[in-house]
């Protein structure tokens, strides 16, 4: 709908954007660049889809030196709770779930890929040294999917003796967050995480394809508080087809999780 927009890069942009710029510079055929929407006269043209990047280890780090990053660090701007000079992080891409309200199914699809735990820690340590960052906000759509990955990451931090805080403010699944994992999270410096059930109504959860157990989520919350993690629970109201009864059920759930902590 925006006539000022010439191109839209679909999904992951690293390879597509480079190809697009190269094509423009050489006056090439833009329809040969995979992963684009572009204008041809008055028409919108979608080029062939680009395959997901399978090996996300080794993708170059963000060029923070090209931005006035110190302005944000000095102002202690953060996505989550303020723990000081905060840098954004991404440890994974995609999400294996298909929640109907989320952009992921059309942006990334169900393929979840995590960087190596070692590479993520090295990036954190680099920012500690280079920018004197003290806290790290993980922007992952669903950071905790694979139990073995988060366990390895926490153990690496503990073994390294690293001194920083980190948090998961976007919202994550609860299946892997049992007593052992929440203990490790706290021991590794994680101070705050957000659960994302979205509703306390089983009917609405089925409707939005959330695929979770509210009983197990509450059990996970109890483990998190037992292990001294700060938590938040995301709730959304106004789903198409949601009833007043569903909303009342969600309010009852809110009271329950508030009582847990």
């Amino acid at each position: 709908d925006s006539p000022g927009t010439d191109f839209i890069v679909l999904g992951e942009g690293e390879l597509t954007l480079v190809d697009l710029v190269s094509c423009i510079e050489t006056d090439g055929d833009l329809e040969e660049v995979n992963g684009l929407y572009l204008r041809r006269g008055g028409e919108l043209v979608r080029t062939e889809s680009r395959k997901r990047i399978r090996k996300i280890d080794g993708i170059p780090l963000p060029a923070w030196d090209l931005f006035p990053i110190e302005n944000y660090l000095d102002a202690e701007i953060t996505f989550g709770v303020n723990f000081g000079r905060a840098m954004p992080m991404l440890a994974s891409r995609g999400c294996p779930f298909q929640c109907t309200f989320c952009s992921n199914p059309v942006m990334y699809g169900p393929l979840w890929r995590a960087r190596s735990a070692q590479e993520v820690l090295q990036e954190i340590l680099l920012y500690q040294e280079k920018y004197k960052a003290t806290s790290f906000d993980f922007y992952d759509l669903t950071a905790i999917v694979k139990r073995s990955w988060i366990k390895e990451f926490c153990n690496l931090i503990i073994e390294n003796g690293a001194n920083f805080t980190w948090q998961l403010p976007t919202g994550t699944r609860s299946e892997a967050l049992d007593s052992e994992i929440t203990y490790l999270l706290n021991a590794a410096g994680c101070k705050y995480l957000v659960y994302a059930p979205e509703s306390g109504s089983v009917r609405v959860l089925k409707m939005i394809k959330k695929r979770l157990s509210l009983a197990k989520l509450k059990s996970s919350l109890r483990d998190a508080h037992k292990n001294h993690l700060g938590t938040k629970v995301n709730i959304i109201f106004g789903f198409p087809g949601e009833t007043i009864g569903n909303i009342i059920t969600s309010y009852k759930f809110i009271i329950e999780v508030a009582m847990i902590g």
Side-chain angles (χ1 to χ4, degrees):
D1 295 332
S2 171
T5 303
D6 298 313
F7 308 101
I8 296 174
V9 173
L10 304 170
E12 294 167 305
E14 287 85 359
L15 302 177
T16 306
L17 188 58
V18 171
D19 287 354
L20 172 61
V21 172
S22 298
C23 192
I24 292 170
E25 286 184 334
T26 58
D27 292 322
D29 183 359
L30 292 166
E31 292 190 33
E32 294 296 315
V33 179
N34 292 345
L36 280 182
Y37 261 117
L38 59 115
R39 293 189 186 277
R40 281 289 194 222
E43 294 186 0
L44 291 176
V45 176
R46 179 171 182 167
T47 67
E48 186 177 333
S49 297
R50 185 178 292 271
K51 292 181 179 179
R52 285 281 309 279
I53 300 172
R54 294 267 172 173
K55 296 181 179 179
I56 63 174
D57 276 337
I59 292 176
L61 297 180
W64 293 118
D65 54 301
L66 300 181
F67 295 86
I69 191 68
E70 291 291 342
N71 294 353
Y72 295 87
L73 291 166
D74 291 342
E76 297 186 354
I77 292 173
T78 177
F79 181 28
V81 176
N82 189 344
F83 293 114
R85 290 168 66 84
M87 286 289 288
M89 292 291 299
L90 272 176
S92 66
R93 287 184 174 181
C95 177
F97 298 93
Q98 298 286 303
C99 303
T100 59
F101 58 88
C102 184
S103 63
N104 178 71
V106 293
M107 182 174 181
Y108 285 134
L111 180 66
W112 182 82
R113 281 287 182 269
R115 298 163 61 195
S116 74
Q118 185 66 51
E119 185 180 88
V120 176
L121 178 57
Q122 288 306 311
E123 184 181 358
I124 288 174
L125 296 177
L126 171 66
Y127 296 157
Q128 265 197 298
E129 180 180 354
K130 188 172 183 178
Y131 299 116
K132 303 298 183 283
T134 59
S135 185
F136 298 88
D137 304 339
F138 281 72
Y139 280 66
D140 301 60
L141 289 172
T142 311
I144 301 178
V145 171
K146 195 174 180 181
R147 179 187 174 87
S148 59
W149 188 94
I150 193 66
K151 192 172 179 179
E152 180 187 0
F153 181 58
C154 290
N155 282 323
L156 274 174
I157 295 172
I158 295 166
E159 290 163 11
N160 188 271
N163 183 26
F164 56 81
T165 60
W166 54 288
Q167 53 187 316
L168 302 167
T170 304
T172 191
R173 307 284 302 189
S174 59
E175 287 83 357
L177 291 170
D178 57 18
S179 184
E180 180 189 11
I181 297 300
T182 52
Y183 173 84
L184 281 174
L185 286 170
N186 179 58
C190 181
K191 297 300 179 187
Y192 174 73
L193 64 91
V194 175
Y195 289 79
E198 322 304 355
S199 177
S201 162
V202 172
R203 175 181 174 270
V204 172
L205 292 175
K206 287 181 180 177
M207 202 163 57
I208 63 174
K209 299 181 181 179
K210 190 65 193 183
R211 288 170 52 196
L212 63 78
S213 162
L214 293 174
K216 289 180 179 177
L217 184 140
K218 286 184 282 188
S219 175
S220 177
L221 268 170
R222 292 186 187 95
D223 287 331
H225 280 274
K226 181 182 70 178
N227 288 309
H228 312 293
L229 290 170
T231 60
K232 187 179 86 170
V233 171
N234 285 346
I235 298 290
I236 299 173
F237 289 114
F239 287 114
E242 188 174 34
T243 67
I244 292 295
N246 298 148
I247 291 171
I248 292 170
T249 300
S250 283
Y251 269 106
K252 290 177 181 176
F253 175 73
I254 289 169
I255 292 169
E256 287 183 74
V257 295
M259 291 176 69
I260 291 171

